[in-house]
Amino acid sequence: MAIEKIACVTQDGALTGVATRDEVHRQGLWHETFHCWIVSRELGRTLLHLQLRSQDKADFPGLFDITAAGHIAAHESMKDGVREIEEELGLALAFEQLTPLGVVKDEISLPGFTDRERAYIHLYEGMQIDLADYRLQPEEVAGMAAVDFQAFFELCMKQTETIDALGFIETHEGRQPLKRKLGLSDFVPHQSSYWKQVAIRIRHQLMDS
């Protein structure tokens, strides 16, 4: 299997070189990633879809995260990021169907692992999408959950401590219902500034659309 090469950049996005994914995280090199958040509507509410990361993931197994996200290989453009949605969730979308919400810088630092991302945030307003429509890549995604967007916004702004999540977990016996209360500790430990910026930008877009 070919080793994935990722373009390295400055904090402002200027290209500085190319490195493997392991080198990028071991050395804490800035790089660019594709993030897509998906929302739907149900009974007058806007629901935000979250993925539950597989227990087999090397990084942050079993935590909730962005609907779909991934690294952009050195030979790819940001438009190629839509492949992550189809690979992880089985949902084929064109890049033009997404609304770009700008770049948010995000740093996660753990012993031996430093992830410094310029995350290109996108929103897909799939108003009729149901969680049951997803076809998951099991080595990447263990399940899906939907949360009320307003509650998610309040969680990101630290106005509340927990929110209700409903969805499913994929098991060998099939999909099992998931019903949990989630706090920020149940999510991948993105910086608080990342969560706030994402929540604010999605809310602005939803209000304008």
Side-chain angles (χ1 to χ4, degrees):
M1 188 173 114
I3 297 176
E4 183 180 12
K5 294 291 185 98
I6 296 172
C8 304
V9 297
T10 65
Q11 287 194 50
D12 298 320
L15 184 65
T16 60
V18 173
T20 67
R21 182 169 177 160
D22 285 347
E23 289 169 341
V24 163
H25 291 152
R26 189 171 64 252
Q27 299 177 36
L29 304 174
W30 283 95
H31 55 289
E32 296 181 334
T33 53
F34 171 88
H35 292 190
C36 181
W37 292 91
I38 295 178
V39 295
S40 63
R41 290 200 191 278
E42 180 180 294
L43 301 175
R45 293 191 306 154
T46 298
L47 301 178
L48 185 75
H49 297 189
L50 305 171
Q51 76 160 248
L52 176 61
R53 293 168 68 88
S54 168
Q55 292 289 353
D56 296 329
K57 294 280 287 183
D59 307 324
F60 313 114
L63 293 180
F64 288 88
D65 203 8
I66 304 146
T67 321
H71 291 80
I72 300 301
H75 65 279
E76 293 181 314
S77 70
M78 194 55 61
K79 285 187 175 183
D80 294 311
V82 292
R83 64 173 164 73
E84 297 288 347
I85 306 171
E86 185 165 14
E87 288 175 2
E88 295 184 358
L89 307 179
L91 185 64
L93 297 176
F95 184 77
E96 290 71 24
Q97 292 177 270
L98 311 182
T99 301
L101 300 182
V103 177
V104 177
K105 296 176 187 176
D106 185 34
E107 295 187 55
I108 301 175
S109 294
L110 299 171
F113 177 94
T114 303
D115 190 17
R116 292 192 171 103
E117 298 185 6
R118 283 173 46 85
Y120 282 72
I121 311 300
H122 301 81
L123 180 69
Y124 178 63
E125 298 180 58
M127 295 313 178
Q128 304 307 315
I129 288 182
D130 188 88
L131 294 186
D133 297 330
Y134 292 124
R135 297 294 175 264
L136 307 184
Q137 184 180 18
E139 61 269 27
E140 296 285 337
V141 187
M144 298 295 297
V147 297
D148 180 83
F149 175 72
Q150 180 58 32
F152 174 80
F153 180 87
E154 293 171 3
L155 181 70
C156 293
M157 305 305 287
K158 298 187 177 179
Q159 296 169 353
T160 189
E161 293 187 356
T162 62
I163 58 176
D164 294 320
L166 290 174
F168 67 86
I169 296 177
E170 206 84 79
T171 73
H172 294 299
E173 290 75 39
R175 293 184 171 180
Q176 302 299 319
L178 177 152
K179 182 178 181 180
R180 284 182 57 182
K181 285 192 174 294
L182 304 180
L184 284 175
S185 62
D186 296 303
F187 288 79
V188 170
H190 299 287
Q191 287 181 297
S192 60
S193 58
Y194 172 87
W195 291 118
K196 289 179 181 178
Q197 281 298 311
V198 164
I200 289 169
R201 295 183 192 195
I202 292 177
R203 185 171 73 162
H204 283 169
Q205 176 58 31
L206 293 174
M207 292 173 65
D208 291 341
S209 60

